[in-house]
Amino acid sequence: MNAKKAAGSKGTSYEGFTAEERRAMKEHAREMKAAALGADQEAAQLEKIAEMPEAERAMAERIHAIVKKNAPQLMPKLWYGMPGWAKDGKVVCFFQNAGKFKSRYSTFGFNDSANLDDGEMWPTAFALTKLTAAGEKQITALVKKAAS
């Protein structure tokens, strides 16, 4: 990858990363430092959720409550500026609000540490435009399975 000076920035950037992606990487570095210093991860996560636009905030708050109730072994934390829930320090699942990367929908996703294996192929991310009772039921089941 060729390094190049980003227009108007003080540091080096790399071709191919959007401004949002660079911002997320910087957020991740701050999150790691804060965690190492013993910052309250849940409080930081709730602060980030509170900054979201209303519709996305409502989904994130609901997902936070679902994870907390149904998978208490998963610890809330921030992950690249997004709400995440981790087990043994590894993020199992996360909520990416649509505004994070200027997407048309929010995403609830799982990393490879999630226990979702189902044969040779299974979904690891779900697009969300709103969170209905049926969606909450599906998320609850997925979170329980992922955290087991």
Side-chain angles (χ1 to χ4, degrees):
M1 205 177 279
N2 294 329
K4 74 171 190 175
K5 196 77 161 165
S9 78
K10 295 179 182 177
T12 300
S13 179
Y14 296 94
E15 285 186 35
F17 290 118
T18 66
E20 292 81 14
E21 290 168 331
R22 286 191 300 275
R23 209 171 12 259
M25 288 184 280
K26 288 177 183 178
E27 283 182 296
H28 186 58
R30 285 190 300 270
E31 293 158 6
M32 289 175 26
K33 184 176 182 180
L37 295 173
D40 183 342
Q41 297 294 296
E42 185 169 17
Q45 185 192 73
L46 292 172
E47 280 181 37
K48 186 59 81 172
I49 290 171
E51 295 171 2
M52 293 177 188
E54 185 177 343
E56 297 169 11
R57 181 176 62 245
M59 285 191 287
E61 287 171 344
R62 204 49 217 122
I63 289 170
H64 176 73
I66 289 168
V67 175
K68 193 169 182 170
K69 178 181 178 183
N70 294 285
Q73 66 273 40
L74 297 183
M75 305 310 300
K77 66 180 291 174
L78 286 176
W79 186 63
Y80 293 94
M82 299 176 286
W85 295 269
K87 182 176 180 182
D88 300 326
K90 294 182 180 181
V91 173
V92 173
C93 56
F94 61 91
F95 176 78
Q96 178 183 304
N97 64 305
K100 179 76 176 166
F101 294 107
K102 299 179 183 174
S103 178
R104 66 183 180 90
Y105 53 81
S106 295
T107 304
F108 185 63
F110 297 89
N111 285 329
D112 61 344
S113 57
N115 186 25
L116 294 176
D117 301 34
D118 185 16
E120 296 175 359
M121 188 170 103
W122 57 90
T124 60
F126 300 84
L128 295 169
T129 56
K130 64 181 179 177
L131 193 53
T132 63
E136 287 186 17
K137 185 176 179 180
Q138 186 177 6
I139 288 172
T140 298
L142 287 166
V143 164
K144 285 180 178 180
K145 184 176 180 182
S148 65

